[in-house]
Amino acid sequence: MLYAFWFRKDLRIIDNNALSVFIDLLENKFNPSCDRILFFYIKNNDKFNYYGKKRVKFLFECLVDLENSLKKYGFDLIILNGSADEVIKKIFNDFDSITLFANKQFEPYCIKRDNLIADLVRARGTFHLFNDAVISEPGSLLKDDGLPYTVYTPYKKKFLNLLNNHLYKEHNSDLARIKKFSNHQYEPGRRITIKDIARKLTQNESVFFKGGRKEALKLLNNFLSDKIFEYDRNRDFPSLNATSLISPHLHFGTISIRECFRLAFDKIKNKNSKGVEVWISELIWREFYYQIAFHFPYVIDGAFKKEYDNIQWENDNDKFVRWCNGLTGYPIVDAGMRQLLKEGWMHNRLRMITAMFLTKDLLIDWKWGEKFFAEHLIDLDFANNNGGWQWSASTGCDAQPYFRIFNPYLQSKKFDPEGLYIKKYLPELSNLNGDLIHKPELELLKPLNYPPPIVDHFKMKELAISKYKEVIKFKN
Ligand SMILES: Cc1cc2nc3c(=O)[nH]c(=O)nc-3n(C[C@H](O)[C@H](O)[C@H](O)COP(=O)(O)OP(=O)(O)OC[C@H]3O[C@@H](n4cnc5c(N)ncnc54)[C@H](O)[C@@H]3O)c2cc1C
C-alpha cells in the first residue's frame, strides 16, 4: 500500500488539516514491511505556462521551503511532472493500492479534476479530501431557505454568528509523530528535484514577495504588531503600506486561514479594535467569494448577473495595450498598472480603480482584465480575482452599481493626496505637485514623455451607463 500526501495550495506542514489526519492514520496503520510513504507536488506544465514568472518564482520558493521543512523529519518532497491523472496512473505501475490524501480546492476546474482522480483511484484505493482553505466550507453556510448567499453583509453576519474557536483551532500535523517511518519512502524513478527547480528560479524577477512560511510569518507578525490597529483608517491609502501583504501566502497556503483568524481574535481579546474587526471582514470577503465560485461555477467565463453578458464592449486592442502597460495618461491608473508589472502585486484600492477604468472608461470586457491580472499577479486566486473584477465591472453579486463609476481624478486626490504612490511608480511625473500630479496639464506632458489622457472620463461615463442600461432593458 502507498500512503501518499498530495500538497497543492497548502504548502506548509504546520496546522494542515489533511496532513494531521494523514499522520493519525500512519501512526495507527503503517506497516513498514510492505507499505511506503510519498509526499508529492504535481508540476503540470499546462498550468505553469499560464502563470506569470514572478508567481512561478514565488511558488518554487514555497516548494523549496516546504521540502526543507519535510527534510527535518527525514522526508522528501517529490515533484512529479504531468497532469494529475497521468501522475496517478504512473504510481499505479508500482503499487496495487493507494491511500491518497489532500486538501480540497474549491475552484470549479479543481473540483472537476478531483472527481476524475477519485474515479481513477476508486478501484484500487481511497482518495480523502479535507477543507483547509477556508473557515466555512462552501456549501456549509446557507440562507434560511437553503440557498447560497449572494449578498456579502448577511453572509458576514451569519458567518460571525456561527463562528466559534473550534472552527479555527490548530490541527496537529506534527511530523515528529511519524519520523520513524521516514526510511520507508517511495522513490519514483524519474522526477524533478527541488535543486533543479531552484536552479531555474528566474533571478531577475522582483524579490519584493518571497515564498515560504518564514516570510509569511514575518509579514503577518509585522502587520499584527501595530498596523492592524490602524487598518480601518489606513488601508485605502496605497502609499502607507498599511495592509498585511499576505495574499500570496494565503493563496499558496504557507500560512493557514485558521492562523489568521486565531491571531486576529487574540488581538481583540482584551481590547476592542475597529482595525482588527475590519481586517476580519476582509478575510470574510475571501470566504464569500469562495462560496460564490463554488455555487455559481458559470462565473468562470461569464457574468454572475447573466444579462450583463450582453454588454456591447468596444474591446479596442490599442487601448487595452496602453492600459496593460500603464500608459493611459491617467496617473493613478498607470501607477497601479506599473506596480502590477513591477511587483506582481497591486494594492486593493488600485485594483478597483484600474479594473473600473478598463471596463467603464475604456469599455473593454472585464474578462480581458481578469486574464491580464491572472497572468501577472503573484497572489492570483480565482475566486477573489473573479469576484473583484465582477464587483468592479458591476456584473457580479453584490457589486458596485453600474451607475456609480469612479472618477479617477477624485480617487487619486482622495487616496493619494500627495501623489506619493503615483511618483513611486511613475518617476517621469516626480516633479509635478499639487493638483497637477493627479491631472497633469497637457502642456507639461510633452517633455515628460507621458501620454495625454486616452479618453475623456466624463464622456465615457455617460456612454458606459447607456450600454449597461441597454442590457437591463433587454432583460426586462
Ligand atoms: C479587480 C480585483 C482583483 C483581485 N484579485 C485578487 C486575487 O487574484 N487574489 C487575491 O487574493 N485577492 C484579489 N483581490 C482582493 C484584494 O485586492 C487582495 O486580496 C488584497 O489587495 C491583498 O492584499 P493584502 O494581503 O495586503 O490584504 P489585506 O488588506 O491585509 O487583507 C487580508 C486578506 O483578506 C483577503 N481580502 C482582502 N480584501 C479582499 C477582497 N476585496 N476580496 C477578497 N478577499 C480579500 C485577502 O486574502 C487578503 O490577503 C482583487 C480585488 C480586485 C478589486
Side-chain angles (χ1 to χ4, degrees):
M1 162 78 75
L2 177 69
Y3 287 95
F5 189 90
W6 180 6
F7 283 102
R8 291 123 62 109
K9 296 283 161 53
D10 52 342
L11 304 179
R12 66 178 187 287
I13 59 165
I14 306 288
D15 190 12
N16 182 321
N17 192 4
L19 186 59
S20 74
V21 188
F22 184 68
I23 292 169
D24 288 346
L25 184 75
L26 290 180
E27 263 188 322
N28 293 312
K29 288 267 165 72
F30 191 75
N31 179 350
S33 64
C34 53
D35 295 339
R36 290 292 172 268
I37 299 176
L38 170 69
F39 289 104
F40 72 107
Y41 180 87
I42 297 181
K43 183 173 177 287
N44 183 347
N45 284 335
D46 291 347
K47 216 169 63 186
F48 272 69
N49 292 339
Y50 184 63
Y51 281 13
K53 282 184 185 163
K54 292 184 176 62
R55 180 171 165 84
V56 172
K57 182 169 191 270
F58 184 92
L59 164 62
F60 286 172
E61 284 165 356
C62 294
L63 292 174
V64 170
D65 183 67
L66 176 62
E67 151 132 297
N68 288 337
S69 313
L70 286 166
K71 279 228 179 305
K72 285 184 194 146
Y73 301 93
F75 293 105
D76 295 318
L77 176 67
I78 308 288
I79 311 286
L80 297 169
N81 232 346
S83 63
D85 55 321
E86 284 165 359
V87 164
I88 300 297
K89 281 179 195 155
K90 270 188 210 148
I91 289 178
F92 280 140
N93 290 337
D94 291 346
F95 289 89
D96 289 337
S97 180
I98 183 171
T99 298
L100 178 60
F101 271 67
N103 282 308
K104 286 183 191 173
Q105 291 182 269
F106 297 104
E107 294 85 348
Y109 41 89
C110 295
I111 292 175
K112 230 189 216 170
R113 177 207 54 205
D114 284 347
N115 288 339
L116 178 73
I117 298 303
D119 285 344
L120 256 179
V121 168
R122 192 163 294 125
R124 297 165 70 177
T126 47
F127 184 22
H128 306 270
L129 284 165
F130 298 82
N131 170 37
D132 183 77
V134 277
I135 298 286
S136 166
E137 180 162 356
S140 67
L141 201 166
L142 299 168
K143 292 190 293 180
D144 293 343
D145 61 7
L147 294 173
Y149 280 94
T150 55
V151 181
Y152 169 75
T153 307
Y155 174 84
K156 175 184 154 189
K157 202 168 157 216
K158 184 131 175 198
F159 179 97
L160 288 172
N161 277 343
L162 296 178
L163 190 66
N164 60 56
N165 52 14
H166 181 72
L167 286 171
Y168 51 86
K169 77 167 193 330
E170 180 172 351
H171 293 285
N172 176 358
S173 46
D174 183 2
L175 281 164
R177 289 155 57 202
I178 54 164
K179 191 168 186 254
K180 55 182 181 283
F181 301 138
S182 62
N183 290 334
H184 305 279
Q185 292 188 81
Y186 166 49
E187 267 293 332
R190 281 189 62 232
R191 59 158 162 136
I192 321 162
T193 65
I194 297 279
K195 274 196 197 108
D196 291 335
I197 285 184
R199 230 177 285 133
K200 282 189 192 151
L201 289 184
T202 328
Q203 296 305 334
N204 296 335
E205 291 306 321
S206 153
V207 289
F208 184 72
F209 281 96
K210 279 195 121 191
R213 183 166 168 78
K214 237 184 271 131
E215 291 295 321
L217 289 175
K218 206 158 81 185
L219 285 174
L220 193 60
N221 288 330
N222 178 29
F223 175 71
L224 292 173
S225 63
D226 56 356
K227 286 182 187 169
I228 192 168
F229 297 111
E230 311 286 321
Y231 182 76
D232 53 322
R233 268 162 285 155
N234 293 344
R235 73 195 168 109
D236 271 319
F237 297 88
S239 68
L240 293 182
N241 187 17
T243 67
S244 67
L245 305 176
I246 56 155
S247 49
H249 293 280
L250 264 178
H251 175 76
F252 285 110
T254 52
I255 196 140
S256 92
I257 185 67
R258 291 177 298 281
E259 254 171 315
C260 294
F261 270 84
R262 272 200 306 277
L263 293 169
F265 277 114
D266 264 3
K267 290 278 159 192
I268 40 179
K269 227 189 254 162
N270 301 321
K271 67 170 181 177
N272 285 338
S273 159
K274 184 89 181 116
V276 179
E277 277 171 28
V278 174
W279 194 65
I280 289 172
S281 300
E282 294 305 316
L283 296 178
I284 301 175
W285 268 108
R286 177 178 174 274
E287 304 265 331
F288 177 71
Y289 282 143
Y290 267 60
Q291 58 99 41
I292 291 292
F294 176 80
H295 289 293
F296 306 94
Y298 64 83
V299 297
I300 276 198
D301 48 20
F304 176 85
K305 291 182 190 135
K306 291 182 178 173
E307 63 273 23
Y308 289 124
D309 280 332
N310 297 318
I311 293 175
Q312 296 301 304
W313 303 106
E314 288 187 350
N315 287 346
D316 179 323
N317 200 49
D318 292 340
K319 285 184 183 158
F320 181 61
V321 171
R322 282 181 62 179
W323 176 84
C324 293
N325 289 300
L327 291 169
T328 66
Y330 280 81
I332 192 73
V333 174
D334 294 339
M337 295 309 292
R338 303 252 195 114
Q339 179 178 27
L340 176 64
L341 295 175
K342 192 167 175 218
E343 294 171 4
W345 189 85
M346 199 197 288
H347 186 278
N348 181 58
R349 173 60 43 186
L350 273 301
R351 294 191 205 208
M352 295 192 287
I353 295 174
T354 54
M356 200 174 286
F357 190 83
L358 183 80
T359 50
K360 313 279 177 58
D361 286 76
L362 302 184
L363 293 173
I364 290 175
D365 192 338
W366 61 270
K367 292 194 283 300
W368 291 28
E370 184 197 22
K371 180 166 184 284
F372 188 78
F373 270 29
E375 288 162 351
H376 288 82
L377 282 171
I378 296 173
D379 70 11
L380 165 66
D381 192 279
F382 169 73
N384 285 354
N385 196 35
N386 186 273
W389 270 96
Q390 297 225 34
W391 183 92
S392 311
S394 307
T395 60
C397 59
D398 206 6
Q400 178 85 329
Y402 71 84
F403 46 84
R404 233 178 267 151
I405 296 179
F406 285 177
N407 174 332
Y409 299 124
L410 294 183
Q411 288 285 314
S412 186
K413 274 189 181 180
K414 185 167 176 191
F415 297 111
D416 190 27
E418 321 263 301
L420 297 175
Y421 175 81
I422 294 175
K423 289 180 186 184
K424 181 169 175 195
Y425 295 101
L426 302 182
E428 63 268 47
L429 302 188
S430 57
N431 290 327
L432 298 185
N433 289 309
D435 277 0
L436 292 177
I437 189 71
H438 307 291
K439 191 177 183 183
E441 279 171 7
L442 294 185
E443 286 312 297
L444 290 171
L445 292 179
K446 279 181 202 140
L448 297 180
N449 200 18
Y450 183 74
I454 187 170
V455 289
D456 178 313
H457 166 71
F458 300 98
K459 277 192 196 144
M460 295 312 287
K461 177 179 169 179
E462 294 312 314
L463 189 54
I465 290 176
S466 69
K467 281 188 181 280
Y468 276 80
K469 268 190 185 154
E470 194 60 31
V471 296
I472 296 174
K473 201 167 72 193
F474 181 72
K475 182 193 172 199
N476 295 333

